[in-house]
Amino acid sequence: MNRDKLFDHLEDLLVYAHHLTRNRDQAEDLVQDVVLHVLSRDTCLSDVEHPRRYMAVILRNLFLDQTRKKGRAPSHVPIEDHDPEDENADVYGALACAQTLAAIGRLPEEYRTVMRLRVEAGLSYSDMAQQLELPIGTVMSRMSRARSKLREYL
């Protein structure tokens, strides 16, 4: 194998790998994998018509393989990278949900009934109209007024 041909193209491969990974360390690891791949093959680079193109294809294929493996693997966040702000987002979400439920509880009965049927039971307007034995226009009107009241409360 002509090792000079291999090493002549390493800088180009590194630029291409960095373009793919957007990370210098990952790019270097990827180029190293390409070199190991080429060295482990019986193929001699002098037999390859376009060695740079040949190694670029290997690099791209290795990158795609690694990306697919990452997509299937569950993502783990090291404890050092854990952001306590994420926990606060859950707390704020729960607080907003509690405030919304409290505001729905403050609505007048006719608005609260249609809002709960819509939010908790997931009924459509026509289903609510049938269940409450009201015209669909009345249900729509009550939902609109209930939303307006909720905006005032929140």
Side-chain angles (χ1 to χ4, degrees):
M1 170 174 291
N2 187 349
R3 291 179 189 264
D4 292 336
K5 279 195 173 190
L6 175 66
F7 296 115
D8 287 345
H9 302 291
L10 287 183
E11 192 61 37
D12 293 334
L13 289 174
L14 186 59
V15 169
Y16 182 44
H18 190 264
H19 172 75
L20 291 174
T21 62
R22 306 275 190 235
N23 181 300
R24 180 76 178 182
D25 293 333
Q26 289 177 353
E28 289 173 356
D29 290 344
L30 197 55
V31 170
Q32 182 179 0
D33 290 344
V34 170
V35 170
L36 290 173
H37 183 85
V38 170
L39 290 175
S40 69
R41 300 288 178 221
D42 292 334
T43 323
C44 184
L45 278 181
S46 58
D47 296 339
V48 176
E49 189 174 344
H50 302 285
R52 184 172 146 230
R53 189 178 307 161
Y54 173 75
M55 290 187 293
V57 168
I58 293 171
L59 186 136
R60 186 197 63 205
N61 290 341
L62 288 172
F63 170 74
L64 292 174
D65 288 345
Q66 290 174 3
T67 303
R68 286 184 196 114
K69 285 179 187 173
K70 284 181 189 174
R72 282 183 256 156
S75 61
H76 297 284
V77 177
I79 193 72
E80 304 84 37
D81 296 340
H82 177 69
D83 185 10
E85 294 287 324
D86 293 343
E87 291 177 8
N88 292 341
D90 291 339
V91 171
Y92 294 132
L95 180 61
C97 186
Q99 289 174 336
T100 303
L101 290 175
I104 290 173
R106 290 177 36 204
L107 290 172
E109 180 61 35
E110 57 192 13
Y111 300 152
R112 184 174 54 234
T113 302
V114 292
M115 184 59 75
R116 286 201 170 156
L117 286 174
R118 180 72 178 157
V119 172
E120 294 172 7
L123 295 180
S124 67
Y125 289 168
S126 61
D127 291 340
M128 286 189 287
Q130 285 178 347
Q131 186 170 341
L132 297 173
E133 298 177 356
L134 294 171
I136 193 166
T138 302
V139 171
M140 292 171 70
S141 173
R142 288 182 182 178
M143 279 297 296
S144 175
R145 290 185 184 127
R147 286 188 188 111
S148 295
K149 287 278 189 194
L150 284 176
R151 278 189 218 104
E152 289 174 21
Y153 295 157
L154 298 174

PDB file of all heavy atoms in Angstrom, residues 20-57:
ATOM      1  N   LEU A  20     -19.348  17.475   8.297  1.00  0.00           N
ATOM      2  CA  LEU A  20     -20.424  16.541   8.618  1.00  0.00           C
ATOM      3  C   LEU A  20     -20.785  16.551  10.100  1.00  0.00           C
ATOM      4  O   LEU A  20     -21.962  16.573  10.458  1.00  0.00           O
ATOM      5  CB  LEU A  20     -20.034  15.114   8.203  1.00  0.00           C
ATOM      6  CG  LEU A  20     -19.938  14.827   6.710  1.00  0.00           C
ATOM      7  CD1 LEU A  20     -19.392  13.425   6.482  1.00  0.00           C
ATOM      8  CD2 LEU A  20     -21.284  14.984   6.038  1.00  0.00           C
ATOM      9  N   THR A  21     -19.769  16.532  10.954  1.00  0.00           N
ATOM     10  CA  THR A  21     -20.018  16.372  12.388  1.00  0.00           C
ATOM     11  C   THR A  21     -20.209  17.680  13.142  1.00  0.00           C
ATOM     12  O   THR A  21     -20.821  17.690  14.201  1.00  0.00           O
ATOM     13  CB  THR A  21     -18.855  15.619  13.055  1.00  0.00           C
ATOM     14  OG1 THR A  21     -17.661  16.385  12.913  1.00  0.00           O
ATOM     15  CG2 THR A  21     -18.680  14.239  12.460  1.00  0.00           C
ATOM     16  N   ARG A  22     -19.638  18.763  12.619  1.00  0.00           N
ATOM     17  CA  ARG A  22     -19.670  20.070  13.290  1.00  0.00           C
ATOM     18  C   ARG A  22     -18.963  20.019  14.652  1.00  0.00           C
ATOM     19  O   ARG A  22     -19.266  20.787  15.555  1.00  0.00           O
ATOM     20  CB  ARG A  22     -21.104  20.569  13.486  1.00  0.00           C
ATOM     21  CG  ARG A  22     -21.928  20.620  12.249  1.00  0.00           C
ATOM     22  CD  ARG A  22     -21.691  21.905  11.524  1.00  0.00           C
ATOM     23  NE  ARG A  22     -22.667  22.056  10.453  1.00  0.00           N
ATOM     24  CZ  ARG A  22     -22.331  22.261   9.208  1.00  0.00           C
ATOM     25  NH1 ARG A  22     -21.085  22.348   8.880  1.00  0.00           N
ATOM     26  NH2 ARG A  22     -23.238  22.384   8.273  1.00  0.00           N
ATOM     27  N   ASN A  23     -18.031  19.069  14.783  1.00  0.00           N
ATOM     28  CA  ASN A  23     -17.311  18.899  16.033  1.00  0.00           C
ATOM     29  C   ASN A  23     -15.900  18.420  15.702  1.00  0.00           C
ATOM     30  O   ASN A  23     -15.737  17.389  15.058  1.00  0.00           O
ATOM     31  CB  ASN A  23     -18.043  17.890  16.915  1.00  0.00           C
ATOM     32  CG  ASN A  23     -17.364  17.669  18.241  1.00  0.00           C
ATOM     33  OD1 ASN A  23     -16.208  17.253  18.290  1.00  0.00           O
ATOM     34  ND2 ASN A  23     -18.098  17.922  19.313  1.00  0.00           N
ATOM     35  N   ARG A  24     -14.898  19.146  16.158  1.00  0.00           N
ATOM     36  CA  ARG A  24     -13.501  18.838  15.804  1.00  0.00           C
ATOM     37  C   ARG A  24     -13.078  17.451  16.301  1.00  0.00           C
ATOM     38  O   ARG A  24     -12.465  16.686  15.569  1.00  0.00           O
ATOM     39  CB  ARG A  24     -12.590  19.927  16.376  1.00  0.00           C
ATOM     40  CG  ARG A  24     -11.131  19.750  16.090  1.00  0.00           C
ATOM     41  CD  ARG A  24     -10.827  20.120  14.681  1.00  0.00           C
ATOM     42  NE  ARG A  24      -9.389  19.989  14.442  1.00  0.00           N
ATOM     43  CZ  ARG A  24      -8.819  20.281  13.319  1.00  0.00           C
ATOM     44  NH1 ARG A  24      -9.537  20.739  12.327  1.00  0.00           N
ATOM     45  NH2 ARG A  24      -7.537  20.127  13.152  1.00  0.00           N
ATOM     46  N   ASP A  25     -13.395  17.127  17.542  1.00  0.00           N
ATOM     47  CA  ASP A  25     -12.994  15.831  18.097  1.00  0.00           C
ATOM     48  C   ASP A  25     -13.663  14.673  17.365  1.00  0.00           C
ATOM     49  O   ASP A  25     -13.022  13.669  17.051  1.00  0.00           O
ATOM     50  CB  ASP A  25     -13.325  15.757  19.591  1.00  0.00           C
ATOM     51  CG  ASP A  25     -12.491  16.723  20.414  1.00  0.00           C
ATOM     52  OD1 ASP A  25     -11.364  17.052  19.986  1.00  0.00           O
ATOM     53  OD2 ASP A  25     -12.970  17.146  21.488  1.00  0.00           O
ATOM     54  N   GLN A  26     -14.941  14.810  17.094  1.00  0.00           N
ATOM     55  CA  GLN A  26     -15.647  13.756  16.361  1.00  0.00           C
ATOM     56  C   GLN A  26     -15.098  13.621  14.946  1.00  0.00           C
ATOM     57  O   GLN A  26     -15.004  12.514  14.413  1.00  0.00           O
ATOM     58  CB  GLN A  26     -17.146  14.038  16.313  1.00  0.00           C
ATOM     59  CG  GLN A  26     -17.838  13.856  17.642  1.00  0.00           C
ATOM     60  CD  GLN A  26     -19.310  14.220  17.577  1.00  0.00           C
ATOM     61  OE1 GLN A  26     -19.799  14.725  16.569  1.00  0.00           O
ATOM     62  NE2 GLN A  26     -20.026  13.979  18.661  1.00  0.00           N
ATOM     63  N   ALA A  27     -14.735  14.742  14.348  1.00  0.00           N
ATOM     64  CA  ALA A  27     -14.177  14.711  12.996  1.00  0.00           C
ATOM     65  C   ALA A  27     -12.847  13.963  12.987  1.00  0.00           C
ATOM     66  O   ALA A  27     -12.590  13.137  12.106  1.00  0.00           O
ATOM     67  CB  ALA A  27     -14.001  16.125  12.461  1.00  0.00           C
ATOM     68  N   GLU A  28     -12.014  14.239  13.976  1.00  0.00           N
ATOM     69  CA  GLU A  28     -10.736  13.541  14.053  1.00  0.00           C
ATOM     70  C   GLU A  28     -10.935  12.042  14.267  1.00  0.00           C
ATOM     71  O   GLU A  28     -10.239  11.225  13.663  1.00  0.00           O
ATOM     72  CB  GLU A  28      -9.886  14.138  15.173  1.00  0.00           C
ATOM     73  CG  GLU A  28      -9.371  15.524  14.855  1.00  0.00           C
ATOM     74  CD  GLU A  28      -8.657  16.180  16.032  1.00  0.00           C
ATOM     75  OE1 GLU A  28      -8.620  15.594  17.139  1.00  0.00           O
ATOM     76  OE2 GLU A  28      -8.137  17.299  15.830  1.00  0.00           O
ATOM     77  N   ASP A  29     -11.877  11.683  15.118  1.00  0.00           N
ATOM     78  CA  ASP A  29     -12.173  10.263  15.337  1.00  0.00           C
ATOM     79  C   ASP A  29     -12.665   9.597  14.061  1.00  0.00           C
ATOM     80  O   ASP A  29     -12.301   8.459  13.755  1.00  0.00           O
ATOM     81  CB  ASP A  29     -13.223  10.100  16.435  1.00  0.00           C
ATOM     82  CG  ASP A  29     -12.694  10.460  17.814  1.00  0.00           C
ATOM     83  OD1 ASP A  29     -11.456  10.532  17.981  1.00  0.00           O
ATOM     84  OD2 ASP A  29     -13.532  10.676  18.717  1.00  0.00           O
ATOM     85  N   LEU A  30     -13.478  10.315  13.312  1.00  0.00           N
ATOM     86  CA  LEU A  30     -14.016   9.770  12.069  1.00  0.00           C
ATOM     87  C   LEU A  30     -12.905   9.553  11.040  1.00  0.00           C
ATOM     88  O   LEU A  30     -12.865   8.511  10.375  1.00  0.00           O
ATOM     89  CB  LEU A  30     -15.087  10.724  11.520  1.00  0.00           C
ATOM     90  CG  LEU A  30     -16.037  10.195  10.468  1.00  0.00           C
ATOM     91  CD1 LEU A  30     -16.747   8.943  10.928  1.00  0.00           C
ATOM     92  CD2 LEU A  30     -17.062  11.263  10.126  1.00  0.00           C
ATOM     93  N   VAL A  31     -11.989  10.494  10.927  1.00  0.00           N
ATOM     94  CA  VAL A  31     -10.858  10.345   9.999  1.00  0.00           C
ATOM     95  C   VAL A  31      -9.986   9.170  10.438  1.00  0.00           C
ATOM     96  O   VAL A  31      -9.513   8.382   9.612  1.00  0.00           O
ATOM     97  CB  VAL A  31     -10.049  11.648   9.888  1.00  0.00           C
ATOM     98  CG1 VAL A  31      -8.758  11.429   9.128  1.00  0.00           C
ATOM     99  CG2 VAL A  31     -10.890  12.727   9.211  1.00  0.00           C
ATOM    100  N   GLN A  32      -9.789   9.039  11.730  1.00  0.00           N
ATOM    101  CA  GLN A  32      -9.009   7.913  12.233  1.00  0.00           C
ATOM    102  C   GLN A  32      -9.687   6.592  11.863  1.00  0.00           C
ATOM    103  O   GLN A  32      -9.019   5.632  11.473  1.00  0.00           O
ATOM    104  CB  GLN A  32      -8.849   8.020  13.743  1.00  0.00           C
ATOM    105  CG  GLN A  32      -8.021   6.910  14.340  1.00  0.00           C
ATOM    106  CD  GLN A  32      -7.866   7.057  15.840  1.00  0.00           C
ATOM    107  OE1 GLN A  32      -8.367   7.992  16.451  1.00  0.00           O
ATOM    108  NE2 GLN A  32      -7.167   6.122  16.448  1.00  0.00           N
ATOM    109  N   ASP A  33     -11.004   6.538  11.976  1.00  0.00           N
ATOM    110  CA  ASP A  33     -11.741   5.329  11.581  1.00  0.00           C
ATOM    111  C   ASP A  33     -11.559   5.030  10.096  1.00  0.00           C
ATOM    112  O   ASP A  33     -11.456   3.866   9.702  1.00  0.00           O
ATOM    113  CB  ASP A  33     -13.229   5.479  11.905  1.00  0.00           C
ATOM    114  CG  ASP A  33     -13.513   5.465  13.397  1.00  0.00           C
ATOM    115  OD1 ASP A  33     -12.629   5.037  14.174  1.00  0.00           O
ATOM    116  OD2 ASP A  33     -14.620   5.895  13.782  1.00  0.00           O
ATOM    117  N   VAL A  34     -11.525   6.078   9.277  1.00  0.00           N
ATOM    118  CA  VAL A  34     -11.311   5.886   7.831  1.00  0.00           C
ATOM    119  C   VAL A  34      -9.928   5.302   7.585  1.00  0.00           C
ATOM    120  O   VAL A  34      -9.768   4.357   6.808  1.00  0.00           O
ATOM    121  CB  VAL A  34     -11.492   7.217   7.053  1.00  0.00           C
ATOM    122  CG1 VAL A  34     -11.035   7.070   5.616  1.00  0.00           C
ATOM    123  CG2 VAL A  34     -12.932   7.667   7.107  1.00  0.00           C
ATOM    124  N   VAL A  35      -8.921   5.847   8.252  1.00  0.00           N
ATOM    125  CA  VAL A  35      -7.550   5.350   8.081  1.00  0.00           C
ATOM    126  C   VAL A  35      -7.479   3.885   8.497  1.00  0.00           C
ATOM    127  O   VAL A  35      -6.909   3.048   7.784  1.00  0.00           O
ATOM    128  CB  VAL A  35      -6.543   6.216   8.878  1.00  0.00           C
ATOM    129  CG1 VAL A  35      -5.174   5.570   8.905  1.00  0.00           C
ATOM    130  CG2 VAL A  35      -6.483   7.606   8.291  1.00  0.00           C
ATOM    131  N   LEU A  36      -8.073   3.543   9.634  1.00  0.00           N
ATOM    132  CA  LEU A  36      -8.071   2.152  10.078  1.00  0.00           C
ATOM    133  C   LEU A  36      -8.796   1.251   9.088  1.00  0.00           C
ATOM    134  O   LEU A  36      -8.360   0.135   8.813  1.00  0.00           O
ATOM    135  CB  LEU A  36      -8.721   2.042  11.462  1.00  0.00           C
ATOM    136  CG  LEU A  36      -7.924   2.630  12.616  1.00  0.00           C
ATOM    137  CD1 LEU A  36      -8.740   2.607  13.899  1.00  0.00           C
ATOM    138  CD2 LEU A  36      -6.614   1.886  12.799  1.00  0.00           C
ATOM    139  N   HIS A  37      -9.891   1.744   8.559  1.00  0.00           N
ATOM    140  CA  HIS A  37     -10.660   0.980   7.582  1.00  0.00           C
ATOM    141  C   HIS A  37      -9.829   0.711   6.328  1.00  0.00           C
ATOM    142  O   HIS A  37      -9.780  -0.415   5.833  1.00  0.00           O
ATOM    143  CB  HIS A  37     -11.945   1.744   7.231  1.00  0.00           C
ATOM    144  CG  HIS A  37     -12.847   1.029   6.302  1.00  0.00           C
ATOM    145  ND1 HIS A  37     -13.757   0.103   6.737  1.00  0.00           N
ATOM    146  CD2 HIS A  37     -12.979   1.091   4.955  1.00  0.00           C
ATOM    147  CE1 HIS A  37     -14.425  -0.373   5.698  1.00  0.00           C
ATOM    148  NE2 HIS A  37     -13.969   0.218   4.603  1.00  0.00           N
ATOM    149  N   VAL A  38      -9.179   1.737   5.838  1.00  0.00           N
ATOM    150  CA  VAL A  38      -8.375   1.598   4.619  1.00  0.00           C
ATOM    151  C   VAL A  38      -7.172   0.690   4.872  1.00  0.00           C
ATOM    152  O   VAL A  38      -6.841  -0.172   4.051  1.00  0.00           O
ATOM    153  CB  VAL A  38      -7.925   2.982   4.088  1.00  0.00           C
ATOM    154  CG1 VAL A  38      -6.897   2.846   2.985  1.00  0.00           C
ATOM    155  CG2 VAL A  38      -9.133   3.771   3.598  1.00  0.00           C
ATOM    156  N   LEU A  39      -6.527   0.848   6.012  1.00  0.00           N
ATOM    157  CA  LEU A  39      -5.351   0.030   6.318  1.00  0.00           C
ATOM    158  C   LEU A  39      -5.715  -1.436   6.554  1.00  0.00           C
ATOM    159  O   LEU A  39      -4.905  -2.330   6.305  1.00  0.00           O
ATOM    160  CB  LEU A  39      -4.608   0.582   7.535  1.00  0.00           C
ATOM    161  CG  LEU A  39      -3.885   1.911   7.334  1.00  0.00           C
ATOM    162  CD1 LEU A  39      -3.304   2.409   8.650  1.00  0.00           C
ATOM    163  CD2 LEU A  39      -2.797   1.791   6.282  1.00  0.00           C
ATOM    164  N   SER A  40      -6.934  -1.678   7.022  1.00  0.00           N
ATOM    165  CA  SER A  40      -7.336  -3.057   7.292  1.00  0.00           C
ATOM    166  C   SER A  40      -7.776  -3.799   6.027  1.00  0.00           C
ATOM    167  O   SER A  40      -7.923  -5.010   6.049  1.00  0.00           O
ATOM    168  CB  SER A  40      -8.465  -3.080   8.318  1.00  0.00           C
ATOM    169  OG  SER A  40      -9.644  -2.554   7.753  1.00  0.00           O
ATOM    170  N   ARG A  41      -7.967  -3.086   4.938  1.00  0.00           N
ATOM    171  CA  ARG A  41      -8.396  -3.705   3.685  1.00  0.00           C
ATOM    172  C   ARG A  41      -7.188  -4.185   2.892  1.00  0.00           C
ATOM    173  O   ARG A  41      -6.100  -3.622   2.997  1.00  0.00           O
ATOM    174  CB  ARG A  41      -9.197  -2.720   2.824  1.00  0.00           C
ATOM    175  CG  ARG A  41     -10.449  -2.213   3.483  1.00  0.00           C
ATOM    176  CD  ARG A  41     -11.485  -3.304   3.533  1.00  0.00           C
ATOM    177  NE  ARG A  41     -12.657  -2.821   4.211  1.00  0.00           N
ATOM    178  CZ  ARG A  41     -13.352  -3.533   5.083  1.00  0.00           C
ATOM    179  NH1 ARG A  41     -13.007  -4.750   5.367  1.00  0.00           N
ATOM    180  NH2 ARG A  41     -14.396  -3.039   5.660  1.00  0.00           N
ATOM    181  N   ASP A  42      -7.436  -5.170   2.084  1.00  0.00           N
ATOM    182  CA  ASP A  42      -6.382  -5.673   1.211  1.00  0.00           C
ATOM    183  C   ASP A  42      -6.178  -4.767   0.005  1.00  0.00           C
ATOM    184  O   ASP A  42      -5.183  -4.866  -0.688  1.00  0.00           O
ATOM    185  CB  ASP A  42      -6.722  -7.090   0.722  1.00  0.00           C
ATOM    186  CG  ASP A  42      -6.672  -8.097   1.855  1.00  0.00           C
ATOM    187  OD1 ASP A  42      -5.928  -7.846   2.828  1.00  0.00           O
ATOM    188  OD2 ASP A  42      -7.372  -9.120   1.766  1.00  0.00           O
ATOM    189  N   THR A  43      -7.129  -3.872  -0.230  1.00  0.00           N
ATOM    190  CA  THR A  43      -7.052  -2.997  -1.384  1.00  0.00           C
ATOM    191  C   THR A  43      -5.903  -2.020  -1.229  1.00  0.00           C
ATOM    192  O   THR A  43      -5.720  -1.431  -0.176  1.00  0.00           O
ATOM    193  CB  THR A  43      -8.351  -2.174  -1.541  1.00  0.00           C
ATOM    194  OG1 THR A  43      -9.460  -2.967  -1.195  1.00  0.00           O
ATOM    195  CG2 THR A  43      -8.502  -1.642  -2.928  1.00  0.00           C
ATOM    196  N   CYS A  44      -5.174  -1.851  -2.262  1.00  0.00           N
ATOM    197  CA  CYS A  44      -4.072  -0.898  -2.263  1.00  0.00           C
ATOM    198  C   CYS A  44      -4.582   0.410  -2.862  1.00  0.00           C
ATOM    199  O   CYS A  44      -5.257   0.412  -3.898  1.00  0.00           O
ATOM    200  CB  CYS A  44      -2.912  -1.452  -3.086  1.00  0.00           C
ATOM    201  SG  CYS A  44      -1.475  -0.402  -3.061  1.00  0.00           S
ATOM    202  N   LEU A  45      -4.301   1.520  -2.209  1.00  0.00           N
ATOM    203  CA  LEU A  45      -4.793   2.802  -2.714  1.00  0.00           C
ATOM    204  C   LEU A  45      -4.216   3.126  -4.084  1.00  0.00           C
ATOM    205  O   LEU A  45      -4.817   3.888  -4.842  1.00  0.00           O
ATOM    206  CB  LEU A  45      -4.470   3.929  -1.739  1.00  0.00           C
ATOM    207  CG  LEU A  45      -5.435   4.093  -0.568  1.00  0.00           C
ATOM    208  CD1 LEU A  45      -5.016   5.270   0.301  1.00  0.00           C
ATOM    209  CD2 LEU A  45      -6.854   4.277  -1.019  1.00  0.00           C
ATOM    210  N   SER A  46      -3.071   2.572  -4.406  1.00  0.00           N
ATOM    211  CA  SER A  46      -2.511   2.829  -5.741  1.00  0.00           C
ATOM    212  C   SER A  46      -3.352   2.166  -6.830  1.00  0.00           C
ATOM    213  O   SER A  46      -3.310   2.578  -7.983  1.00  0.00           O
ATOM    214  CB  SER A  46      -1.066   2.357  -5.820  1.00  0.00           C
ATOM    215  OG  SER A  46      -0.980   0.980  -5.530  1.00  0.00           O
ATOM    216  N   ASP A  47      -4.167   1.155  -6.434  1.00  0.00           N
ATOM    217  CA  ASP A  47      -5.053   0.506  -7.397  1.00  0.00           C
ATOM    218  C   ASP A  47      -6.359   1.275  -7.578  1.00  0.00           C
ATOM    219  O   ASP A  47      -7.097   1.045  -8.527  1.00  0.00           O
ATOM    220  CB  ASP A  47      -5.386  -0.921  -6.941  1.00  0.00           C
ATOM    221  CG  ASP A  47      -4.153  -1.805  -6.894  1.00  0.00           C
ATOM    222  OD1 ASP A  47      -3.158  -1.473  -7.566  1.00  0.00           O
ATOM    223  OD2 ASP A  47      -4.203  -2.816  -6.166  1.00  0.00           O
ATOM    224  N   VAL A  48      -6.653   2.180  -6.659  1.00  0.00           N
ATOM    225  CA  VAL A  48      -7.892   2.954  -6.710  1.00  0.00           C
ATOM    226  C   VAL A  48      -7.666   4.167  -7.605  1.00  0.00           C
ATOM    227  O   VAL A  48      -6.665   4.870  -7.478  1.00  0.00           O
ATOM    228  CB  VAL A  48      -8.311   3.393  -5.285  1.00  0.00           C
ATOM    229  CG1 VAL A  48      -9.536   4.279  -5.337  1.00  0.00           C
ATOM    230  CG2 VAL A  48      -8.542   2.182  -4.412  1.00  0.00           C
ATOM    231  N   GLU A  49      -8.605   4.388  -8.522  1.00  0.00           N
ATOM    232  CA  GLU A  49      -8.438   5.481  -9.486  1.00  0.00           C
ATOM    233  C   GLU A  49      -8.452   6.857  -8.812  1.00  0.00           C
ATOM    234  O   GLU A  49      -7.671   7.734  -9.136  1.00  0.00           O
ATOM    235  CB  GLU A  49      -9.526   5.388 -10.556  1.00  0.00           C
ATOM    236  CG  GLU A  49      -9.315   6.341 -11.700  1.00  0.00           C
ATOM    237  CD  GLU A  49     -10.334   6.125 -12.811  1.00  0.00           C
ATOM    238  OE1 GLU A  49     -11.004   5.090 -12.847  1.00  0.00           O
ATOM    239  OE2 GLU A  49     -10.459   7.039 -13.645  1.00  0.00           O
ATOM    240  N   HIS A  50      -9.372   7.050  -7.877  1.00  0.00           N
ATOM    241  CA  HIS A  50      -9.499   8.334  -7.170  1.00  0.00           C
ATOM    242  C   HIS A  50      -9.464   8.070  -5.660  1.00  0.00           C
ATOM    243  O   HIS A  50     -10.516   7.945  -5.028  1.00  0.00           O
ATOM    244  CB  HIS A  50     -10.813   9.032  -7.543  1.00  0.00           C
ATOM    245  CG  HIS A  50     -10.969   9.303  -9.001  1.00  0.00           C
ATOM    246  ND1 HIS A  50     -10.276  10.309  -9.631  1.00  0.00           N
ATOM    247  CD2 HIS A  50     -11.718   8.700  -9.955  1.00  0.00           C
ATOM    248  CE1 HIS A  50     -10.603  10.321 -10.911  1.00  0.00           C
ATOM    249  NE2 HIS A  50     -11.474   9.349 -11.132  1.00  0.00           N
ATOM    250  N   PRO A  51      -8.291   8.008  -5.055  1.00  0.00           N
ATOM    251  CA  PRO A  51      -8.191   7.656  -3.631  1.00  0.00           C
ATOM    252  C   PRO A  51      -8.908   8.640  -2.706  1.00  0.00           C
ATOM    253  O   PRO A  51      -9.516   8.235  -1.721  1.00  0.00           O
ATOM    254  CB  PRO A  51      -6.691   7.633  -3.347  1.00  0.00           C
ATOM    255  CG  PRO A  51      -6.005   8.089  -4.567  1.00  0.00           C
ATOM    256  CD  PRO A  51      -6.995   8.210  -5.665  1.00  0.00           C
ATOM    257  N   ARG A  52      -8.833   9.918  -3.031  1.00  0.00           N
ATOM    258  CA  ARG A  52      -9.511  10.914  -2.174  1.00  0.00           C
ATOM    259  C   ARG A  52     -11.016  10.692  -2.180  1.00  0.00           C
ATOM    260  O   ARG A  52     -11.659  10.697  -1.135  1.00  0.00           O
ATOM    261  CB  ARG A  52      -9.165  12.317  -2.660  1.00  0.00           C
ATOM    262  CG  ARG A  52      -9.735  13.404  -1.794  1.00  0.00           C
ATOM    263  CD  ARG A  52      -9.199  14.766  -2.199  1.00  0.00           C
ATOM    264  NE  ARG A  52     -10.218  15.745  -1.998  1.00  0.00           N
ATOM    265  CZ  ARG A  52     -10.601  16.634  -2.886  1.00  0.00           C
ATOM    266  NH1 ARG A  52     -10.014  16.704  -4.042  1.00  0.00           N
ATOM    267  NH2 ARG A  52     -11.547  17.484  -2.612  1.00  0.00           N
ATOM    268  N   ARG A  53     -11.578  10.486  -3.346  1.00  0.00           N
ATOM    269  CA  ARG A  53     -13.016  10.238  -3.474  1.00  0.00           C
ATOM    270  C   ARG A  53     -13.390   8.928  -2.779  1.00  0.00           C
ATOM    271  O   ARG A  53     -14.403   8.841  -2.098  1.00  0.00           O
ATOM    272  CB  ARG A  53     -13.406  10.196  -4.953  1.00  0.00           C
ATOM    273  CG  ARG A  53     -14.899  10.171  -5.163  1.00  0.00           C
ATOM    274  CD  ARG A  53     -15.274  10.167  -6.620  1.00  0.00           C
ATOM    275  NE  ARG A  53     -14.633  11.267  -7.331  1.00  0.00           N
ATOM    276  CZ  ARG A  53     -14.488  11.302  -8.652  1.00  0.00           C
ATOM    277  NH1 ARG A  53     -14.919  10.306  -9.391  1.00  0.00           N
ATOM    278  NH2 ARG A  53     -13.905  12.321  -9.236  1.00  0.00           N
ATOM    279  N   TYR A  54     -12.534   7.912  -2.933  1.00  0.00           N
ATOM    280  CA  TYR A  54     -12.746   6.602  -2.323  1.00  0.00           C
ATOM    281  C   TYR A  54     -12.821   6.737  -0.795  1.00  0.00           C
ATOM    282  O   TYR A  54     -13.731   6.229  -0.150  1.00  0.00           O
ATOM    283  CB  TYR A  54     -11.602   5.676  -2.738  1.00  0.00           C
ATOM    284  CG  TYR A  54     -11.565   4.333  -2.073  1.00  0.00           C
ATOM    285  CD1 TYR A  54     -12.455   3.331  -2.427  1.00  0.00           C
ATOM    286  CD2 TYR A  54     -10.614   4.049  -1.092  1.00  0.00           C
ATOM    287  CE1 TYR A  54     -12.401   2.082  -1.825  1.00  0.00           C
ATOM    288  CE2 TYR A  54     -10.555   2.815  -0.488  1.00  0.00           C
ATOM    289  CZ  TYR A  54     -11.454   1.834  -0.852  1.00  0.00           C
ATOM    290  OH  TYR A  54     -11.397   0.606  -0.259  1.00  0.00           O
ATOM    291  N   MET A  55     -11.874   7.477  -0.223  1.00  0.00           N
ATOM    292  CA  MET A  55     -11.860   7.649   1.233  1.00  0.00           C
ATOM    293  C   MET A  55     -12.998   8.560   1.700  1.00  0.00           C
ATOM    294  O   MET A  55     -13.536   8.371   2.794  1.00  0.00           O
ATOM    295  CB  MET A  55     -10.504   8.185   1.683  1.00  0.00           C
ATOM    296  CG  MET A  55      -9.390   7.156   1.547  1.00  0.00           C
ATOM    297  SD  MET A  55      -7.816   7.674   2.252  1.00  0.00           S
ATOM    298  CE  MET A  55      -7.372   9.021   1.161  1.00  0.00           C
ATOM    299  N   ALA A  56     -13.396   9.518   0.884  1.00  0.00           N
ATOM    300  CA  ALA A  56     -14.519  10.392   1.248  1.00  0.00           C
ATOM    301  C   ALA A  56     -15.817   9.598   1.319  1.00  0.00           C
ATOM    302  O   ALA A  56     -16.659   9.832   2.199  1.00  0.00           O
ATOM    303  CB  ALA A  56     -14.642  11.540   0.252  1.00  0.00           C
ATOM    304  N   VAL A  57     -15.978   8.644   0.425  1.00  0.00           N
ATOM    305  CA  VAL A  57     -17.173   7.799   0.454  1.00  0.00           C
ATOM    306  C   VAL A  57     -17.165   6.931   1.714  1.00  0.00           C
ATOM    307  O   VAL A  57     -18.189   6.769   2.378  1.00  0.00           O
ATOM    308  CB  VAL A  57     -17.263   6.934  -0.829  1.00  0.00           C
ATOM    309  CG1 VAL A  57     -18.311   5.853  -0.689  1.00  0.00           C
ATOM    310  CG2 VAL A  57     -17.553   7.814  -2.029  1.00  0.00           C
TER     311      VAL A  57
END
